[in-house]
Amino acid sequence: MTDIHDLTAEQQATAVRNRELSPVEIVDHYLGRIERVNRQVGAYVTVTDESAREQARKAERVVLEAADPAELPPLLGVPVPIKDLNMVQGVPMTFGSAVFDDLTGFVDDHVVTALREAGSVMIGKTNTPEFGLPCYTENSVAPPARTPWDLDRSAGGSSGGAAAAVASGLAPVAQGSDGGGSIRIPSSVCGLFGIKPSRGRVSQGPLIPDLFGLSTNGPIARTVLDAATLLDVMSGPTPGDLFMAPPLPDGGTFAAYVGREPGRLRIARMIEPVVPGAVIHADCVAAYEEATSLLVELGHEIVDVSPPFGPDLVPIFETLWSVMATMTPVDPLRADRLQPLTRWLRERGDAVTANALLSAHAQLQGALRVALAATAEYDAILHPTLAQPPVPIGYFHDADPAENFELQKRFTPFTSIYNISGQPAVSVPLHWTENGLPIGVMLAGRLGGEGTLISLSAQLEAARPWIGRTPPIWTA
């Protein structure tokens, strides 16, 4: 028998529109699974069961009163959790930190507003590391987020709770955010498809500034179509945004690219890490080589190229990252509640002068101009998403801050390149190890080129379907 969580978000939305499935049934099903499974995977830090049921009842009334089901919102009645770095009015918000144990959201982030307007049900807030800074999700406010493929291993970060929720069948899709790989990292270690959109595609407002343009909201899903549909809902600038992505052609949608053949693409591939000391694990090399073979089999041209960025940019990115760590205001009387890594990063950020910050930003922009020119002739770029398979809980967190940060850099030597450039990038779940651990590969595209990546990913998905792969906890 098919359970509700076996259905994709698109299938659930269609069943709601056709009055074959009630939003109340869907929400009750997920709340029941969260109650049984969440303590094992650490996906949710807050579950909004009462408000979710009320939203579901309202959605049900909308369906029953609709004259034309085709006019209903695209995600009506579909649960979509929100990462606990994004504010939801009236819902507790921790930023993954014990510093904010008494904060309640006083406004909806623009991405939350967009998801509400699409008819989705906000079922809870997903777990995130403190201020979203690390690439793993272990904090002082909730149990660690674990990949359901091996509960002794991390779900990644900083959207670790979001990925754990989707991979465990505790949500059909999830909103995430990505400032250095935070959608692609957990997507890789949880066996999911995730999209980091182009800079300026999704608004960061009204509270989160986009001064450096490194971070963006984006979707985490089990299928390319679900992710594309969620991206359609999230997309759009709002007044005050500093960046704006190239728009789609009039009337175009990202979901439409799922059914569109990509044609024969010229794809660069790079496996040389720019982070000194990073070593690519044999399983990640295997995933990269298998993806290459599949792309060739599908008729694409593959070209080996050298990285357009060098290791000299790593400390420059670190400068921006440490300054970003200081941008969340912390009451000095509560500063002792901060995690050691957060304190260490904030101390580094506080020591950066204005001149040094502007110089770092200018150097990254100069490198970006060279890199974009060097890769302009390619339709996509293939990398391993990560340098290693999923790591054990505590692998980073138990180390002292300097070693912790170094381990994170070596684990994620490819992802932050595309936060610097602003280009879209996806993690595609094409490979599993002999021990059953998922290993993603990353495809990056031209600025504004999410459509090409979606078409290509859908082609890969059709050739090597992954939707049937589920972890043992899926049947809990």
Side-chain angles (χ1 to χ4, degrees):
M1 292 181 63
T2 299
D3 278 318
I4 287 174
H5 66 280
D6 292 321
L7 302 174
T8 67
E10 183 64 24
Q11 289 170 334
Q12 290 178 17
T14 299
V16 167
R17 285 193 294 271
N18 293 340
R19 301 179 185 175
E20 298 167 350
L21 194 58
S22 161
V24 175
E25 291 179 84
I26 296 174
V27 167
D28 282 344
H29 177 81
Y30 280 108
L31 289 174
R33 282 190 60 78
I34 291 168
E35 185 176 358
R36 294 190 301 274
V37 175
N38 186 55
R39 66 178 64 91
Q40 298 176 61
V41 296
Y44 288 87
V45 65
T46 300
V47 180
T48 53
D49 49 354
E50 290 186 15
S51 65
R53 287 191 168 100
E54 177 57 30
Q55 291 171 59
R57 288 191 289 268
K58 289 180 179 178
E60 187 172 66
R61 290 195 294 271
V62 170
V63 173
L64 295 175
E65 295 169 1
D68 182 1
E71 298 299 322
L72 292 171
L75 294 177
L76 186 64
V78 177
V80 181
I82 302 298
K83 185 176 176 179
D84 206 28
L85 294 184
N86 292 82
M87 188 166 285
V88 179
Q89 188 169 18
V91 176
M93 181 173 185
T94 70
F95 292 98
S97 176
V99 170
F100 295 100
D101 61 353
D102 57 358
L103 176 64
T104 297
F106 49 84
V107 68
D108 281 344
D109 273 4
H110 289 325
V111 71
V112 175
T113 300
L115 287 164
R116 287 194 195 278
E117 291 174 350
S120 70
V121 175
M122 210 292 286
I123 201 168
K125 302 294 290 296
T126 54
N127 202 2
T128 186
E130 191 162 63
F131 305 163
L133 295 172
C135 68
Y136 61 93
T137 303
E138 298 170 50
N139 57 41
S140 301
V141 299
R146 303 170 185 268
T147 175
W149 296 93
D150 181 344
L151 294 175
D152 291 329
R153 296 176 186 263
S154 171
S158 61
S159 304
V166 176
S168 303
L170 307 187
V173 291
Q175 171 267 341
S177 57
D178 190 316
S182 293
I183 286 172
R184 292 157 288 158
I185 295 163
S187 293
S188 178
V189 301
C190 290
L192 301 170
F193 180 72
I195 304 176
K196 183 204 84 70
S198 294
R199 179 176 292 148
R201 178 70 68 197
V202 182
S203 176
Q204 292 284 84
L207 298 178
I208 302 173
D210 49 6
L211 300 178
F212 305 135
L214 297 178
S215 185
T216 180
N217 292 281
I220 295 174
R222 294 168 60 215
T223 70
V224 177
L225 178 58
D226 278 357
T229 300
L230 199 57
L231 182 57
D232 279 322
V233 167
M234 292 181 174
S235 295
T238 57
D241 291 349
L242 294 182
F243 304 100
M244 184 180 298
L248 288 173
D250 289 346
T253 66
F254 291 115
Y257 280 91
V258 174
R260 188 178 302 176
E261 286 296 320
R264 187 173 192 267
L265 303 180
R266 192 160 193 255
I267 300 172
R269 72 171 198 158
M270 305 178 197
I271 197 170
E272 181 184 343
V274 299
V275 174
V279 176
I280 313 304
H281 190 280
D283 287 328
C284 298
V285 174
Y288 173 78
E289 295 294 351
E290 287 178 14
T292 299
S293 297
L294 180 55
L295 289 165
V296 171
E297 180 184 320
L298 292 170
H300 302 293
E301 179 188 0
I302 308 297
V303 181
D304 283 296
V305 298
S306 299
F309 291 113
D312 55 314
L313 289 186
V314 175
I316 301 172
F317 179 82
E318 288 181 34
T319 296
L320 290 189
W321 199 252
S322 63
V323 171
M324 288 174 63
T326 71
M327 295 184 68
T328 303
V330 173
D331 183 341
L333 297 178
R334 297 187 173 198
D336 61 339
R337 302 184 188 184
L338 291 171
Q339 299 274 295
L341 175 68
T342 307
R343 287 199 297 271
W344 182 79
L345 284 170
R346 287 170 70 92
E347 288 169 2
R348 291 185 66 183
D350 286 337
V352 175
T353 66
N355 284 346
L357 175 60
L358 292 174
S359 175
H361 204 186
Q363 289 178 74
L364 286 178
Q365 185 179 11
L368 164 62
R369 287 171 169 160
V370 173
L372 289 178
T375 59
E377 63 183 289
Y378 302 105
D379 300 296
I381 305 171
L382 172 70
H383 304 268
T385 303
L386 298 169
Q388 301 172 46
V391 297
I393 295 293
Y395 175 81
F396 305 109
H397 198 60
D398 293 347
D400 70 78
E403 182 185 1
N404 177 334
F405 196 62
E406 186 62 33
L407 289 171
Q408 289 188 65
K409 286 160 46 183
R410 295 180 183 184
F411 184 62
T412 63
F414 304 106
T415 53
S416 61
I417 293 170
Y418 298 104
N419 297 89
I420 294 170
S421 72
Q423 294 166 261
V426 301
S427 184
V428 188
L430 290 175
H431 182 82
W432 270 256
T433 70
E434 290 183 359
N435 296 325
L437 295 175
I439 306 285
V441 293
M442 183 170 66
L443 289 161
R446 296 189 178 98
L447 193 64
E450 291 96 325
T452 298
L453 293 181
I454 288 168
S455 289
L456 178 58
S457 299
Q459 185 185 51
L460 293 170
E461 182 181 32
R464 298 285 189 276
W466 57 75
I467 187 67
R469 283 186 176 267
T470 56
I473 207 169
W474 190 263
T475 56

